[in-house]
Amino acid sequence: MPVKKLKPITPGTRFRLAPDFSLLTNSKPEKNLLISVKKTAGRNNTGKKTMHYRGGGSKKRMRIIDFGRSKHNIWGTVKTIEYDPMRSAYISLLWYEDGEKRYILYPKGLKVGDKVISGEQVDPEIGNAMPLKSIPMNTSVHNIALDPNKHGIMVRSAGASAELVGKEGKYVVIKLPSGEVRKILGTCMATVGTVGNVDHSNVRLGKAGRKRNMGRLPRVRAVAKNPVDHPMGGGEGKASGGIPRSKNGIPAKGKRTRSLKKASNKLIIKRRK
C-alpha cells in the first residue's frame, strides 16, 4: 500500500506522508468482535507513573484477532479488509462456512472473495495456516507460534515476514526479520505470506499533534534532565554526568540485557544483528 504526499498548504502537511487507504473495503468494524480498552496513561493500580511519555490520545476499540487459527479444515471467505487502530497491520474479516466470523491479520496479496483455510495438510497458499513442518522450504511466513498449544506471537507487524530456511528433526529453522536464526518446533502453527501494509514504515506524521493523537506525550532527552530525574541527567552545559544509564539504572549504549541462563538460548543458531 503506497503512501501519498499531501500539498504543503499548512506546516503540518508540508512534510507529511500519509497512508493511502484505498485498499480498505470497509470503514465500520464487526460489532461482535469489538471490546473496549481502558487507558492507563502509563500508570499502575496505585496511580504511580511507571511508563514515561504516555497519556491522552483518541479513543480506540480493540478488534478480537484470531492469532491461533484454530478452526481447522473449514473454509473461510475474505469479506473485508479493514483498518485496526491497535496495530500497524491491516486485518481481514473471514466468514466461515459454519457461519462464524473472525478477524485475521491481512496478508499481502489477499483479495476480497478469496478463500483461506487452516489445518495439518493444506496447500501452502497465501493466508493459509498450517504447522511449520508442513510448509515448504524458503517460504515466507508470519504469525508464528512458539508453543504448539498457544497462538502466534512472532512476526505480526506491518510488512514483516520470516523465512523457513531448514528442517532438523522435530525442529524447523526460521530466519526472523531481525536477522536472528533460531529453531522452532515443527508442530507450531504459522501463516503463509507476508503481513500487509508494507509501506507503513514510510509514513511521516508531519507534526507533533499527530503523535499526541496516538497517546504519546512530548519526549524529553535524558541529558536535559536533572540528576534526580534520570541517571544521565546533570552536568554543565551539554556535558552529561556519569556513566550512560537508562532511567532504571541499567547501563546503556550497547550493553546486552538478555539473560545468559534463558532456556531458549540453546535454540538460537545466530543472534540478531
Side-chain angles (χ1 to χ4, degrees):
M1 178 57 58
V3 295
K4 57 184 179 182
K5 189 170 186 346
L6 279 65
K7 292 183 179 180
I9 56 177
T10 63
T13 58
R14 181 169 295 277
F15 299 108
R16 186 181 172 196
L17 293 177
D20 183 6
F21 295 119
S22 59
L23 181 67
L24 305 186
T25 61
N26 192 20
S27 59
K28 292 186 177 180
E30 186 70 23
K31 287 186 177 180
N32 297 332
L33 298 176
L34 292 178
I35 55 175
S36 60
V37 180
K38 187 178 183 300
K39 292 190 176 181
T40 61
R43 300 169 191 273
N44 61 10
N45 60 334
T46 64
K48 180 179 174 61
K49 184 177 287 189
T50 56
M51 180 64 68
H52 290 220
Y53 319 120
R54 300 240 178 143
S58 302
K59 187 175 182 179
K60 302 175 183 177
R61 288 185 296 174
M62 181 179 288
R63 280 72 168 163
I64 302 174
I65 311 293
D66 179 19
F67 293 115
R69 301 293 298 273
S70 55
K71 287 185 74 70
H72 290 180
N73 302 318
I74 301 177
W75 287 98
T77 304
V78 179
K79 287 295 181 179
T80 63
I81 301 172
E82 301 179 18
Y83 171 79
D84 188 350
M86 307 299 293
R87 64 193 71 255
S88 59
Y90 293 151
I91 56 177
S92 292
L93 181 64
L94 298 186
W95 285 17
Y96 285 95
E97 292 178 339
D98 58 0
E100 187 176 355
K101 300 177 183 179
R102 290 191 183 184
Y103 276 123
I104 65 167
L105 293 178
Y106 164 70
K108 179 184 176 183
L110 202 66
K111 299 181 180 64
V112 174
D114 291 350
K115 291 190 174 184
V116 297
I117 192 172
S118 62
E120 290 277 346
Q121 302 294 331
V122 299
D123 294 332
E125 303 290 339
I126 293 177
N128 289 351
M130 64 189 76
L132 286 167
K133 63 182 180 182
S134 303
I135 300 176
M137 298 280 291
N138 302 322
T139 303
S140 295
V141 294
H142 66 275
N143 189 31
I144 305 170
L146 286 180
D147 189 316
N149 300 318
K150 295 183 179 180
H151 60 70
I153 60 173
M154 303 176 69
V155 195
R156 304 194 319 198
S157 60
S161 68
E163 185 180 359
L164 198 153
V165 295
K167 298 184 179 181
E168 299 180 5
K170 63 179 182 179
Y171 291 100
V172 298
V173 181
I174 297 289
K175 184 177 182 181
L176 299 173
S178 63
E180 178 177 296
V181 180
R182 62 164 294 152
K183 297 179 183 178
I184 302 178
L185 280 172
T187 52
C188 293
M189 295 288 289
T191 306
V192 178
T194 302
V195 184
N197 196 15
V198 177
D199 287 314
H200 172 76
S201 58
N202 298 327
V203 173
R204 279 192 209 163
L205 300 182
K207 60 180 182 179
R210 294 272 294 127
K211 200 69 175 176
R212 297 297 297 269
N213 295 338
M214 298 165 69
R216 291 295 183 268
L217 303 180
R219 193 174 188 89
V220 182
R221 292 176 299 120
V223 294
K225 295 183 178 182
N226 296 319
V228 69
D229 297 321
H230 199 282
M232 290 177 65
E236 291 294 331
K238 289 195 173 183
S240 59
I243 301 173
R245 294 173 181 271
S246 72
K247 60 179 179 291
N248 298 323
I250 301 174
K253 311 298 184 186
K255 178 178 173 59
R256 292 180 181 268
T257 57
R258 184 180 174 90
S259 172
L260 297 177
K261 298 180 180 179
K262 199 160 187 176
S264 61
N265 283 342
K266 61 183 180 181
L267 298 177
I268 298 177
I269 300 174
K270 179 183 176 183
R271 289 295 303 272
R272 60 187 175 90
K273 298 175 184 177

